[in-house]
């Protein structure tokens, strides 16, 4: 980023680390896509998730790079059990990492994302989140707690231009673009198709007499980042739920931008992910959370009332 950056120092360092990681992995993923050699691995931790050699390489690489950025931390990656890195026996910071989100698309050079969240166990909340977009012009989405204790959010483009994120969507449901991770036919697409009241509400005519509502596909934390930027209006996950490494970075970024994340009944989800001890961190890594992420609370409420869950 430029020397005029207003992003807090740790967030700027981690954003640079994520951008460097994406530069390293991008040509490898393109080669996998062009050659058809996708290096799929047996996934012993999450049997129904795609796992490649690139996920595992990024897991190890992130641990090494983060050790140069932070003196001591708990490293909690999708790809391995949580571990302490550094000399402190009980460090304050817990770093959640999803090295390569949407792996099965990344090895086809279509979509690929990478998530890092730094959580203060003393504060019981995130202090930095970075979500990287490997293949697109908008490269990183960042949220951080500044010196005044305020949460701020930015996106940064490939040419280093920062844009503050503080104006998420004000749309109502009949005018909204609502996204969902609907790629899995049985687990996610079919349950979405059964949400008749939601689809009817989204398809209703707006004040102009036009049906403006749309359903789009999106992925992990990047979907909440798109809501934070105002690119989409809401994201919905009600079938399987997101793991903490998929949800929490985008949750914090959307929170910092002024949006809202609720459960399916419309109750706000807290930023306290219960990461106070190694035991609770291990439990958190096994949980899944359904949610509504929206640019405004009224839209989240409309979606909640339209769901049959």
């Amino acid at each position: 980023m430029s020397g005029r950056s207003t992003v807090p120092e740790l967030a700027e360092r981690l954003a640079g680390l994520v951008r460097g990681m994406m530069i390293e992995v991008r040509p490898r993923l393109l080669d996998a896509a062009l050659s058809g050699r996708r290096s799929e691995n047996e996934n012993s931790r999450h049997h129904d998730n795609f796992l490649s050699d690139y996920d595992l390489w990024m897991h190890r690489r992130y641990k090494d790079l983060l050790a140069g950025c932070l003196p001591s931390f708990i490293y909690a990656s999708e790809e391995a059990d949580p571990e302490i890195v550094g000399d402190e026996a009980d460090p304050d910071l817990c770093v959640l990492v999803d090295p390569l989100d949407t792996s099965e698309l990344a090895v086809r050079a279509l979509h690929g994302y990478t998530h890092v969240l730094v959580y203060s166990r003393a504060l019981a909340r995130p202090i930095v989140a970075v979500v990287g977009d490997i293949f697109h012009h908008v490269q990183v989405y960042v949220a951080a707690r500044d010196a005044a204790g305020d949460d701020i959010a930015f996106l940064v483009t490939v040419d280093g231009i920062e844009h503050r994120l503080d104006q998420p969507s004000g749309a109502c449901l009949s005018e909204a673009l609502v996204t969902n991770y609907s790629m899995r036919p049985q687990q996610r697409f079919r349950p979405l198709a059964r949400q008749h009241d939601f689809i009817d509400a989204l398809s209703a005519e707006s004040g102009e007499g036009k049906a403006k509502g749309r359903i789009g596909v999106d992925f992990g934390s990047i979907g909440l980042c798109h809501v934070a930027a105002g690119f989409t209006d809401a994201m919905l996950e009600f079938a399987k739920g997101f793991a903490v490494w998929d949800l929490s970075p985008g949750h914090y970024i959307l929170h910092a931008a002024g949006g809202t994340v609720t459960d399916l009944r419309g109750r706000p989800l807290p930023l306290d992910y219960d990461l106070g001890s190694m035991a609770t961190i291990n439990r958190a890594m096994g949980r899944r959370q359904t949610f509504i992420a929206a640019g405004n609370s009224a839209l989240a409420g409309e979606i909640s009332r339209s769901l049959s869950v």
Side-chain angles (χ1 to χ4, degrees), residues 22 25-40 50-56 58 79 98-115 132-136 181 183 219:
M22 292 192 296
V25 78
R26 192 180 297 120
R28 302 179 186 213
L29 296 173
L30 180 59
D31 180 68
L34 293 173
S35 68
R37 295 187 294 271
R38 297 177 183 134
S39 302
E40 185 173 0
F50 183 94
L51 179 72
S52 72
D53 288 345
Y54 308 102
D55 296 80
L56 298 171
M58 291 179 76
E79 314 308 342
D98 184 352
L100 185 59
D101 190 38
T102 335
S103 305
E104 68 271 34
L105 298 181
V107 295
R108 296 171 183 265
L110 292 170
H111 297 277
Y113 309 100
T114 182
H115 313 158
D133 187 330
I134 295 170
F135 295 116
H136 296 104
Y181 180 52
M183 284 185 59
F219 306 102

Side-chain angles (χ1 to χ4, degrees), residues 78-99:
E78 179 185 4
E79 314 308 342
D81 292 332
E83 62 178 302
I84 293 174
V85 178
D87 296 331
E88 294 181 30
D90 191 28
D92 174 48
L93 299 182
C94 179
V95 183
L96 292 179
V97 175
D98 184 352

Side-chain angles (χ1 to χ4, degrees), residues 56-288:
L56 298 171
W57 174 80
M58 291 179 76
H59 161 79
R60 294 187 295 268
R61 183 74 172 130
Y62 262 126
K63 185 169 74 168
D64 292 342
L65 292 173
L66 287 164
C69 239
L70 300 169
S72 194
F73 57 96
I74 299 170
Y75 185 54
S77 166
E78 179 185 4
E79 314 308 342
D81 292 332
E83 62 178 302
I84 293 174
V85 178
D87 296 331
E88 294 181 30
D90 191 28
D92 174 48
L93 299 182
C94 179
V95 183
L96 292 179
V97 175
D98 184 352
L100 185 59
D101 190 38
T102 335
S103 305
E104 68 271 34
L105 298 181
V107 295
R108 296 171 183 265
L110 292 170
H111 297 277
Y113 309 100
T114 182
H115 313 158
V116 177
L117 178 122
V118 180
Y119 180 96
S120 167
R121 298 162 65 210
L123 296 174
R125 71 186 315 280
I127 57 171
V128 177
V130 182
V131 174
D133 187 330
I134 295 170
F135 295 116
H136 296 104
H137 181 68
V138 178
Q139 283 220 308
V140 292
Y141 299 80
V142 183
R145 184 176 169 93
D146 67 13
D150 297 320
D151 296 307
I152 56 175
F154 290 83
L155 67 76
V156 186
T157 58
V158 69
D159 47 5
I161 305 300
E162 295 173 11
H163 298 267
R164 182 75 179 265
L165 301 181
D166 57 8
Q167 296 182 1
S169 168
C172 63
L173 184 53
S174 63
E175 298 177 345
L177 170 56
V178 181
T179 63
N180 176 261
Y181 180 52
S182 54
M183 284 185 59
R184 299 214 169 173
Q186 183 68 32
Q187 286 183 320
R188 297 183 186 272
F189 179 79
R190 189 166 283 171
L192 175 64
R194 294 192 186 109
Q195 291 291 328
H196 302 298
D197 290 345
F198 165 71
I199 291 172
D200 287 346
L202 187 61
S203 303
E205 290 186 355
S206 68
E208 300 173 1
K210 297 180 180 179
K212 293 185 174 181
R214 297 290 186 269
I215 293 175
V217 64
D218 222 325
F219 306 102
S221 268
I222 194 68
L224 288 86
C225 294
H226 291 155
V227 179
F231 299 160
T232 61
D233 303 300
M235 185 179 191
L236 169 64
E237 170 53 36
F238 63 89
K240 185 180 179 183
F242 277 16
V244 66
W245 58 80
D246 279 326
L247 176 58
S248 58
H251 178 194
Y252 182 42
I253 290 168
L254 179 53
H255 163 84
T260 187
V261 184
T262 74
D263 67 15
L264 299 184
R265 295 184 179 182
R267 298 172 297 200
L269 293 183
L271 291 174
D272 180 356
Y273 303 128
D274 193 16
L275 306 179
S277 68
M278 289 297 283
T280 59
I281 291 168
N282 274 293
R283 284 199 293 272
M285 298 296 278
R287 289 197 301 264
R288 287 189 171 270

